[in-house]
Amino acid sequence: MRRITGKAKDETLIELHGTADSHTADENGGVGLNSLSEQPSLPGNTETEVLQPSKDTVFFRDGVRRIDFVLSYVDDKDGEKKQERRRKFEANLEKVGLELETEDKSESKDHKTYFLKIHAPWDVLAMYADVLKIKVPFKASDIPHCHDAPLNCLSHPFRLPDHIMNPKPDYFTHAFDKNKTDFFLINDKSTFFPPSTRNRIVFYILTRCPYYKEGRKDKEKTGIKRLLSNGTYTAAFPLHDCRYWKRARDTGSESERFKLYQNWARFLCFYKEQPLNLIRKYYGEKIGIYFAWLGFYTEMLFFAAVMGVICFTYGVLSYDDNISSKEICDAEIGGNIFMCPLCDRKCPFWKLNSTCLSSWQSHLFDNEGTVFFAMFMGIWVTLFLEFWKRRQARLEYEWDLVDFEEEQLQLQIRPEFEIRCTNRRLNKITQEMEPYLPVTSKCARFCLSTATVLFWISLIVACIIGVIAYRLAVFAAFASVIKDPMRRIQVVGRFITPQLATSVTASCINFVIIMILNFFYERVAIWITDMEIPKTHLEYENRLTMKMFLFQFVNYYSSCFYVAFFKGKFVGFPGDYSYMFGTSKLRNEECDPGGCLIELTTQLVIVMAGKQLWGNIQEALLPLMRNWWNSRKTRHNPEIHYSRWEQDHVLLNFTQLGLFYEYLEMVVQFGFITLFVASFPLAPLLALFNNILEIRVDAWKFTTQFKRPVASKARNIGAWQEILNAVAILSVVTNAFIMAFTSDMIPRMVYLYAYSKDASMWGYVNNSLSVYNVSQIPKQHMPEEPHSWLNVSSETCRYRDYRYPPGHQREYTHTMQFWHILAAKMAFIIIMEHVVFVVKFFVAWMIPDVPSDVKARIKRERYLIQEYLHNYEVEKLKLQLSASFITEPVSELSLSTD
C-alpha cells in the first residue's frame, strides 16, 4: 500500500488528464476551459474562478481508483495529539485494506485544509458486502412490469423520460457471497457496486475502526464520529459525482447529481413526477422512501383539498340564506338586544349587532357542509394510510427491502452502544459475546428521560396557561379601548372587536412561544436519547421520534385544544361567573354569539401558516446563506483551482437526524389538517400548496446545498407510521367533538326541528340568549362607564346560555332545551364516531396491505432464486467431481511408473 502526497510527481499525469478532459468537454457540447470561464454563476453557486478539469474529479490521481470517501483536517495548536490519532487511525484503515491518498494543504484553496481521499478496493468491498448481506444482481428479471395503459395518455405531461425514471435494468438479486462471485453478474469489478453502496461500506468501516495502539483495548477510542467530535478531523463525507448544473467530465461518472437537478430539484418541475428510482440509486433507500411518502401524501392531499374547497364554496353560496346572521345584523332585532358585559369593570353593555361581521365569517366555516367534510376526512385518512401501505409494499419489492428487517436489527448496532456498554454476555443465538446494558442502568436512564420529558411538557402547559391569562387580561384592555368602534377607530374599527384583537395577538404570542420551546427542546431530546444508549440506529430514531412528537403534539396543538374544547364552556352566568383559578380577577372567556369556531379557525390559520412559512424560510434561506458564507471565506486565492472535494467541503453536513426533522414537519402538518379540519376546510389546500413547494425545496437542498449523505437503508417510514395511525383515530374523535361542542350546528338543528314554530331558523338568536336582571349584577362586576347609547330604562341584559329568566320559580337554572341540546350533542358524537370508525375499519379490511401482484412477484422471485442457486450448486459440484476424476488417474499412473 502506498500513499501519494503532493503534486510534483503527477504534473505530467495532470497535463494528460487535462487534454483528455478537454476532448470530453467538446463531445459534451463544446464546454471547454474557455467556455467554462464565460458561463455565468448560477443561484446557489458562489465559485467564479476557472477550474482545472483534473481536480474536478471523483478519482484518485491515477484516474482509475474511485474516491469513496473524503476526510478533511487542519493543523492547529493541539496538533501533535490529533496528528498521532490520525496516524494510528489511518494506519488501521490501511490494515483493513483501504487505500489512501492525501492532498496537501498547499493545494487547497485556503492553504489550511488537508484532504484524505479513501478508496475501497474490490477485496474490501466484497468482504463487507458479504458481512452486510448487500443484495446484488445475479440475473436479469424476466417478470414483466404492469403498465396503466389507459392512463398513459392523460399522465404523459407529468411523466419524466424513462432513462430518468428507471436508471438501471431490473434484476433478480441475492445477498452477496464472496465465495460465489461467479454466481453474480460481475462484468466490471470497479463498477459492480454503485457509489452509494461503496460509500455505505466505507462509512461502516470508518465508524468501527479504532485509533489506539495495537495491543491496547481502549474501546472509547473508536470510530470516525468520535474523531469528528474531538476535532481530529473536521469533516467526513462521500463526494457528489459532479457539479449540479453541468455534467461531469469524467467518463466513468454517471452525472446523476446533474440529472436530479435538471429533472427534480428545479421548481419548474413541480408538476412532474419524482424520479424515485434515481433518488434511491444516488442517495439510498432511506431518503428515497421519504420522498416517496411525501409525494404520495401530496397526491392524496389533492382530493382532500378539492373537497375542502367545495365545502367552503357551499358556505359562500349559502351566504344569503344565513338567517341567524341576518337577525344579528338587523337593526330592529340585533340592534335592540343589549348584551351583558363580557368582563368586569372595563367591558360595557353592548348591542348584539356589533358582532354582525364575525357572524357572517363564522357561517363560511360553520355550516351543514362542514359535517359532511369532517366525516369525509375521517375516511380520507384511512384511504391515505391504507393506500400508502400498498405503495410501500411495492417499493419494498422493487428496492429489495423485503427481507431487510432482520439485517437491520442484527447488523446496524450503533458504535456508541458498543463503546459505552462495557458489560458482555453470551448471545444465545450467535453464541458470541456481545455488549449489553444492565437492567438497573437501563431503568435509571429511562426514569431520568421520562422525568425530563414530563418537565418540558409541564413547561408547555405553564406557557399555555400564561397565554390564557394574557387573553383574559388583554380582553378587558381591548374592550376599554374599543368601546365605540365607529367613533374611536374610524378606519378599521368596524372590523375589529375585542374578541378578534385578543384572538389574533394571543395566537401570534403563542406561535413565538412554540418556536422558542422547540429550539431548546430539540437539543434536550437528543441529549436524553443519547443518554439512554439505544442499541441500534432504528431504536435510536424510534425513541427520539416518540419524544419529539409527544412534545410537538402538546406544543403545537394545546392552544387549539383550549379554544376548541375549553373556551366558553365554563363561564357561568351574570352574578355567578367563573374565574381563572377560582380566586383571581380574570374572568373566564366567553364565545361570540356565533360560537367559538371562528376563533379556532383564526388560531389554526396563524399557527399552521406561520409554521409553514417559518419552516420554508429556514429550509431555503439558511442553507443558502451558510454556504455562501463558507464559500466566501475561501475566495481569497483565485489562482488555485477548486477541486471536487473542496466544492463539497464547503456545503452543509446532512446529519443523521436530517430526515427526522423533515418527517416531523410533515406529521405535525398532518395533525393540523386532520385533528381540527372541521374548523377550517381550506387547511388541506394550504397544506397542498406548501407540500408542492416543500418537495422542490427539499430536492434543491439535497442536490445543491448539502454534502452527499451516506447511503442507508430503510424498509418503511418507521415509527411515523404508528404515529400517523394514532393521529388518524384521534382525528375522528376531535372532529366529532368540534362539531358538537365548538360549532353552533347542533343547537341550530335542535331549534329547527324541536322548538321552531314555523320550521325555520327565524327566532333562533332570541331563543339562544337568556335574560338576566341588570339590578342583580354585583356592583364590582358593573361597567365603570355605562355607554350613553345603552337604554337606561332597560332592566335586563342578554347572555349566551339556556337558563330560566328572572322571576321564574327556577330562575337562572338550565332549561329543558339545554338538556335536549346536550343529549343531541352526545348522540351526534356517538353516531358520527361509530359511522366513521365502521367505514374506516371496513375500508382497511377491504384494502390488502400488499397488492396481489406484488405478493405473486415476491413468491415468483424467491422460487427462481432457489432454483438458480440449486442449479449453481449442482453445476459447481459437477465441476469439482470432474476435476477430481481427471486428477486421480494421473496420480495413479505416476505411482505405477515409479
Side-chain angles (χ1 to χ4, degrees):
M1 171 63 218
R2 64 190 182 95
R3 184 187 308 188
I4 303 174
T5 306
K7 64 177 180 178
K9 65 179 73 177
D10 296 300
E11 287 177 353
T12 306
L13 178 64
I14 292 174
E15 290 176 3
L16 291 174
H17 274 290
T19 306
D21 285 335
S22 63
H23 287 300
T24 305
D26 292 336
E27 293 173 1
N28 289 335
V31 183
L33 289 176
N34 293 332
S35 60
L36 177 63
S37 62
E38 297 171 2
Q39 286 195 359
S41 178
L42 296 180
N45 169 38
T46 58
E47 306 90 346
T48 56
E49 297 84 2
V50 177
L51 303 186
Q52 294 184 17
S54 60
K55 284 292 185 179
D56 191 17
T57 179
V58 292
F59 292 95
F60 274 20
R61 293 192 186 94
D62 57 16
V64 176
R65 293 173 294 170
R66 188 181 187 95
I67 301 172
D68 297 314
F69 228 87
V70 174
L71 307 181
S72 66
Y73 59 92
V74 295
D75 290 330
D76 53 24
K77 59 182 180 181
D78 195 21
E80 293 184 3
K81 291 183 180 179
K82 294 179 180 178
Q83 187 174 1
E84 180 65 16
R85 292 187 199 127
R86 286 192 292 267
R87 189 184 64 78
K88 296 173 184 175
F89 185 68
E90 292 167 17
N92 288 330
L93 290 179
E94 290 177 349
K95 288 180 181 179
V96 173
L98 296 179
E99 298 176 3
L100 311 179
E101 183 177 88
T102 304
E103 289 289 331
D104 191 75
K105 66 179 181 180
S106 61
E107 299 204 12
S108 65
K109 196 167 185 180
D110 59 2
H111 284 190
K112 297 179 182 178
T113 306
Y114 295 86
F115 290 96
L116 178 67
K117 298 176 286 186
I118 302 174
H119 168 76
W122 168 256
D123 292 340
V124 175
L125 293 172
M127 179 174 64
Y128 282 94
D130 192 354
V131 171
L132 295 173
K133 304 300 179 186
I134 293 175
K135 290 188 175 182
V136 293
F138 68 90
K139 185 182 184 300
S141 175
D142 59 359
I143 300 178
H145 287 275
C146 57
H147 298 284
D148 299 327
L151 299 178
N152 278 347
C153 182
L154 295 177
S155 61
H156 182 74
F158 307 102
R159 293 194 177 277
L160 291 171
D162 188 64
H163 72 280
I164 300 295
M165 291 301 298
N166 301 294
K168 62 179 183 179
D170 193 14
Y171 294 101
F172 290 133
T173 59
H174 189 262
F176 186 79
D177 187 342
K178 63 181 180 181
N179 297 319
K180 300 177 181 178
T181 54
D182 53 336
F183 175 71
F184 302 101
L185 295 177
I186 305 177
N187 298 321
D188 184 354
K189 289 184 177 181
S190 63
T191 58
F192 178 68
F193 292 107
S196 58
T197 302
R198 298 174 68 99
N199 70 54
R200 178 185 165 205
I201 291 174
V202 173
F203 185 70
Y204 181 87
I205 298 172
L206 292 175
T207 54
R208 286 159 176 79
C209 182
Y211 56 93
Y212 49 78
K213 292 182 179 179
E214 187 174 358
R216 294 181 59 184
K217 293 295 181 182
D218 192 353
K219 287 293 185 181
E220 290 189 357
K221 294 184 176 181
T222 302
I224 187 62
K225 292 183 180 180
R226 190 168 182 84
L227 290 171
L228 289 171
S229 64
N230 61 30
T232 303
Y233 291 100
T234 57
F237 55 93
L239 290 179
H240 283 293
D241 61 358
C242 66
R243 298 186 174 194
Y244 67 85
W245 69 90
K246 71 174 185 177
R247 296 182 182 276
R249 293 166 181 252
D250 297 320
T251 56
S253 176
E254 296 181 334
S255 300
E256 291 174 345
R257 187 189 187 193
F258 170 77
K259 295 176 184 176
L260 286 170
Y261 178 74
Q262 290 292 322
N263 298 281
W264 179 51
R266 295 187 303 163
F267 184 74
L268 293 178
C269 302
F270 73 92
Y271 63 95
K272 295 281 189 180
E273 60 183 337
Q274 296 187 86
L276 294 177
N277 289 323
L278 184 59
I279 296 170
R280 172 243 183 172
K281 184 170 181 280
Y282 191 74
Y283 291 114
E285 287 81 0
K286 190 172 185 178
I287 292 177
I289 206 80
Y290 162 73
F291 280 104
W293 176 82
L294 180 57
F296 183 79
Y297 171 46
T298 305
E299 292 171 10
M300 291 296 292
L301 272 178
F302 173 78
F303 302 102
V306 169
M307 194 59 64
V309 170
I310 293 174
C311 179
F312 180 76
T313 304
Y314 172 80
V316 173
L317 296 178
S318 61
Y319 202 70
D320 293 332
D321 299 330
N322 183 13
I323 298 175
S324 299
S325 295
K326 290 181 179 179
E327 287 188 332
I328 292 174
C329 298
D330 194 326
E332 298 298 325
I333 302 176
N336 289 325
I337 296 178
F338 298 100
M339 303 296 293
C340 299
L342 294 174
C343 63
D344 295 341
R345 305 298 292 169
K346 299 295 183 181
C347 297
F349 293 92
W350 52 287
K351 290 184 179 181
L352 182 61
N353 64 352
S354 63
T355 61
C356 175
L357 183 62
S358 65
S359 68
W360 285 110
Q361 293 170 343
S362 296
H363 176 73
L364 295 176
F365 307 105
D366 188 6
N367 54 67
E368 294 77 7
T370 309
V371 182
F372 169 78
F373 184 65
M375 299 181 72
F376 167 82
M377 287 301 295
I379 300 170
W380 174 88
V381 168
T382 304
L383 292 173
F384 163 63
L385 294 176
E386 292 302 318
F387 282 130
W388 165 245
K389 289 178 185 177
R390 292 170 61 83
R391 180 72 174 272
Q392 189 170 255
R394 192 175 295 277
L395 288 175
E396 285 179 17
Y397 166 73
E398 293 177 354
W399 291 357
D400 293 324
L401 300 171
V402 174
D403 301 320
F404 175 66
E405 195 70 31
E406 293 76 16
E407 303 169 26
Q408 193 163 30
L409 293 176
Q410 295 175 10
L411 302 174
Q412 291 195 356
I413 295 178
R414 299 174 65 238
E416 295 85 350
F417 183 84
E418 296 176 329
I419 293 169
R420 296 174 64 181
C421 294
T422 56
N423 297 290
R424 295 289 188 273
R425 67 181 177 188
L426 184 67
N427 187 311
K428 295 180 181 179
I429 300 175
T430 63
Q431 293 298 308
E432 295 179 356
M433 299 300 291
E434 66 175 9
Y436 81 100
L437 193 65
V439 176
T440 53
S441 176
K442 189 179 295 185
C443 291
R445 294 171 188 273
F446 176 77
C447 292
L448 179 58
S449 173
T450 304
T452 305
V453 173
L454 292 177
F455 167 77
W456 278 87
I457 291 178
S458 301
L459 186 62
I460 298 173
V461 174
C463 291
I464 294 300
I465 293 174
V467 173
I468 294 172
Y470 164 83
R471 296 173 69 106
L472 301 180
V474 84
F475 179 81
F478 279 125
S480 63
V481 173
I482 315 176
K483 290 179 180 178
D484 188 356
M486 295 301 293
R487 182 170 59 86
R488 297 292 183 91
I489 310 175
Q490 295 182 3
V491 179
V492 294
R494 58 177 302 203
F495 302 109
I496 296 179
T497 63
Q499 292 93 333
L500 179 61
T502 302
S503 180
V504 171
T505 55
S507 298
C508 293
I509 292 173
N510 183 63
F511 175 71
V512 173
I513 292 174
I514 287 172
M515 293 294 106
I516 294 173
L517 290 176
N518 273 349
F519 176 80
F520 289 106
Y521 182 77
E522 285 177 2
R523 287 148 182 81
V524 173
I526 294 172
W527 174 74
I528 59 179
T529 306
D530 289 338
M531 180 200 63
E532 293 175 2
I533 321 180
K535 184 176 182 179
T536 65
H537 293 289
L538 181 63
E539 186 179 352
Y540 180 91
E541 291 183 4
N542 288 346
R543 290 190 186 186
L544 182 61
T545 296
M546 297 308 298
K547 290 183 183 67
M548 282 297 295
F549 181 76
L550 181 62
F551 176 84
Q552 298 276 19
F553 184 90
V554 180
N555 198 18
Y556 278 105
Y557 305 143
S558 55
S559 58
C560 292
F561 271 101
Y562 164 73
V563 176
F565 305 123
F566 295 97
K567 183 181 177 182
K569 307 300 185 295
F570 310 100
V571 177
F573 60 94
D576 188 21
Y577 283 117
S578 300
Y579 290 82
M580 191 175 184
F581 304 122
T583 58
S584 69
K585 296 182 179 179
L586 299 176
R587 201 170 95 190
N588 288 347
E589 285 184 283
E590 296 185 42
C591 293
D592 279 336
C596 278
L597 196 70
I598 189 64
E599 290 194 44
L600 178 59
T601 303
T602 304
Q603 179 78 25
L604 182 64
V605 170
I606 290 177
V607 176
M608 179 180 173
K611 183 186 182 305
Q612 292 182 349
L613 180 62
W614 177 249
N616 287 327
I617 291 174
Q618 279 187 313
E619 292 186 22
L621 294 184
L622 291 184
L624 190 63
M625 294 175 65
R626 287 176 184 173
N627 286 334
W628 171 82
W629 181 256
N630 291 339
S631 300
R632 179 179 175 273
K633 293 188 294 185
T634 62
R635 282 190 290 182
H636 54 275
N637 290 316
E639 72 278 1
I640 299 179
H641 55 269
Y642 206 24
S643 62
R644 160 73 15 230
W645 40 92
E646 286 182 282
Q647 294 175 50
D648 287 3
H649 182 257
V650 298
L651 299 177
L652 295 178
N653 286 318
F654 182 79
T655 64
Q656 181 185 352
L657 299 177
L659 274 186
F660 168 80
Y661 293 112
E662 302 294 344
Y663 275 117
L664 182 62
E665 179 185 3
M666 289 296 101
V667 173
V668 169
Q669 181 205 83
F670 180 79
F672 278 125
I673 68 163
T674 54
L675 295 174
F676 308 103
V677 74
S679 66
F680 187 48
L682 295 181
L685 184 65
L686 291 183
L688 176 64
F689 289 148
N690 175 80
N691 288 9
I692 291 174
L693 180 64
E694 179 78 19
I695 291 174
R696 303 305 160 180
V697 169
D698 286 348
W700 173 80
K701 280 193 313 181
F702 275 92
T703 310
T704 68
Q705 302 301 308
F706 281 143
K707 294 181 177 72
R708 184 174 183 172
V710 178
S712 57
K713 288 200 169 191
R715 184 177 180 180
N716 48 46
I717 62 175
W720 298 111
Q721 182 74 41
E722 298 304 319
I723 290 175
L724 292 174
N725 289 331
V727 172
I729 294 174
L730 181 60
S731 67
V732 178
V733 179
T734 56
N735 283 301
F737 272 84
I738 287 173
M739 295 308 303
F741 288 98
T742 309
S743 167
D744 206 34
M745 186 202 67
I746 300 298
R748 290 200 300 263
M749 294 298 101
V750 170
Y751 173 80
L752 178 63
Y753 294 109
Y755 290 90
S756 176
K757 296 179 180 179
D758 55 357
S760 71
M761 289 302 296
W762 288 103
Y764 167 72
V765 172
N766 185 65
N767 176 266
S768 64
L769 298 175
S770 297
V771 181
Y772 196 83
N773 194 332
V774 175
S775 63
Q776 293 179 305
I777 299 178
K779 186 176 180 181
Q780 64 270 22
H781 298 169
M782 290 290 288
E784 294 175 345
E785 300 177 3
H787 265 282
S788 58
W789 49 263
L790 181 59
N791 188 351
V792 292
S793 62
S794 178
E795 297 180 353
T796 60
C797 64
R798 309 295 291 272
Y799 61 100
R800 195 168 186 265
D801 207 342
Y802 293 91
R803 294 179 183 270
Y804 289 109
H808 194 279
Q809 61 180 357
R810 298 178 60 189
E811 68 175 4
Y812 306 138
T813 61
H814 284 123
T815 64
M816 284 303 298
Q817 187 174 353
F818 170 83
W819 300 110
H820 290 163
I821 292 174
L822 181 61
K825 289 179 177 179
M826 300 306 297
F828 173 82
I829 291 173
I830 294 172
I831 293 172
M832 179 177 171
E833 285 183 356
H834 280 70
V835 169
V836 175
F837 278 133
V838 166
V839 175
K840 277 171 63 69
F841 292 128
F842 178 74
V843 169
W845 175 75
M846 285 288 294
I847 302 175
D849 292 346
V850 182
S852 57
D853 65 310
V854 172
K855 287 182 180 179
R857 286 166 179 265
I858 293 174
K859 292 178 181 178
R860 166 72 175 163
E861 184 165 332
R862 286 176 176 171
Y863 168 77
L864 291 175
I865 289 173
Q866 293 299 322
E867 184 180 12
Y868 286 123
L869 278 173
H870 173 74
N871 293 337
Y872 169 79
E873 295 292 347
V874 169
E875 292 297 326
K876 190 174 181 180
L877 182 60
K878 287 181 180 179
L879 291 174
Q880 291 175 350
L881 291 174
S882 61
S884 63
F885 179 77
I886 294 172
T887 56
E888 285 178 1
V890 173
S891 60
E892 291 176 0
L893 181 62
S894 62
L895 288 173
S896 61
T897 304
D898 294 338

